[in-house]
Amino acid sequence: MTGPPPYRYEPDARAAELAERFADLPAQGESGVTVTVAGRMMLRRDMGKLAFATLRDSSGAVQLFAGTKWTDDFDRFSHLSIGDWIGATGEVVRTKTGELSVKVERWVLLAEARLSFGDKHKGISDTDTRYRQRYADLWANEESRAALLLRSRLVSWTRRWLEDRGFVEVETPIFHPVAGGATARPFVTHHNALDMDLYLRIAPELYLKRLVVGGFERVFEIARVFRNEGLSTRHNPEFTMLELYQAYADYTDMMEITESLVAEAAQDLVGTTELTYGGRPLSLAVPWKRATMTSLIAEHAHFSVDLDTPLEELRRRAESVGVEAEPSWGPGKILLEIYEKTTEAELWGPVFVTDYPKEVSPLARDHRSRPGYVERFEPIVAGRELGNAFTELIDPDEQRSRFEAQARHRAAGDVEAMAVDEDYLRALEYGLPPTGGLGIGMDRLAMLLTGAEAIRDVIAFPTLRPEPGQAAYEASSSSKSK
């Protein structure tokens, strides 16, 4: 038991398995079964000739029961530090207080914990420490581990759910020669061998639709995407997006997929569609409400506007609610800004907000009955956008026109506007069938299912500002290496 830790260790039992297997073992009962367990020691109580410790592994916790009469090197065991990794071998028993335990005969120190895991009852409460030192947070705060485990199950469940419906999972490039697929500011990097700038993808959309052109009728990707934008409780510069595309479908089909996927995920993963979020009840049961953007503005802003409203009146309405319209904005952009200022956060939902202005939807198909609008919706749940979906634009000439309008905005200083993607336009020339597309933010869906108020709670390692002195040190190191 002294000397360096072993190179490997072979436990043959886990805490959750022991709890299930020996659930009927009575108080002061002896099972006659010897097991080997391993994990972190998170609590310890010394009582002279006896010592009790809580050993936690990835499945749960089990008590270790040690004594001077039967435990090797008892004195050293009773002086282990909270957080030490240990392995222990002994009989499974239940103490007189009814606690299932491993009666430790032999034990070994697997790794020493030199830093504290925080208060033994409160864990780590400082949020910056929790996010920055997630490796400690996961042991100190069981809710953190539970949230990330549920997120992992959600991603796996989503894959199975889509595959059961005939969707094929694919991988598309993370480096893009042209930033596209969404209106967002990209991260830029440089490829030395090709001597060219590349963009970290802001969305996989245009590549997935290329695959539909190529004959993949139902395709999806659970993609890591990157947007050079600010940090908030809902935004992280890198996040996970589910995007799927279905040939021969439109945005009404995407509504059915969205509400079914979310409701069934809630039922299967948390046991109900009736949630509580932020202290308020939230029902994810289908069907979800459907309402146009303009009707919702009228309901919540208490005035009616649409694309036919005179531009000056739209500007006055925008100003009255705190939106300062820029000179380059057309009626569609002003309408969207009014909606986002007055209405979106008020929609507890869930609700499909439908029929967006064409001006702010460069990849969506014209609405079949509302000129100036497109067949697009966003599912809003608990006042937050959960996703985005279209009846996809399939006309290459119209798509070129929309790209060129975006390029003009970009040239005028809009860093989020799209560029002209000639290869995507060429793909459309080969023919994209009628297609429905959907994107869902997996982080935000995980927030709903776990009750998390901040996106950082469901991302293992969120983006954070450098610790004091770190940025200066790295800049100094970089300059010295040149």
Side-chain angles (χ1 to χ4, degrees), residues 332-351:
K333 174 64 172 174
I334 297 174
L335 197 65
L336 175 65
E337 293 293 328
I338 291 173
Y339 158 75
E340 291 184 344
K341 184 71 173 182
T342 65
T343 304
E344 184 175 85
E346 302 302 316
L347 303 175
W348 194 247
V351 57

Side-chain angles (χ1 to χ4, degrees), residues 38-102:
R40 279 194 191 272
M41 187 180 71
M42 298 305 295
L43 292 173
R44 193 191 67 243
R45 303 185 307 283
D46 299 319
M47 303 175 66
K49 296 182 179 181
L50 299 177
F52 300 90
T54 298
L55 184 81
R56 189 182 302 164
D57 63 20
S58 62
S59 71
V62 65
Q63 180 169 270
L64 300 182
F65 175 30
T68 56
K69 292 183 178 181
W70 63 83
T71 303
D72 290 347
D73 202 352
F74 173 83
D75 185 65
R76 187 163 171 251
F77 179 91
S78 64
H79 287 85
L80 288 169
S81 297
I82 301 301
D84 282 348
W85 289 86
I86 62 173
T89 299
E91 182 185 2
V92 178
V93 300
R94 197 175 291 277
T95 64
K96 64 181 180 181
T97 60
E99 191 74 26
L100 186 69
S101 307
V102 175

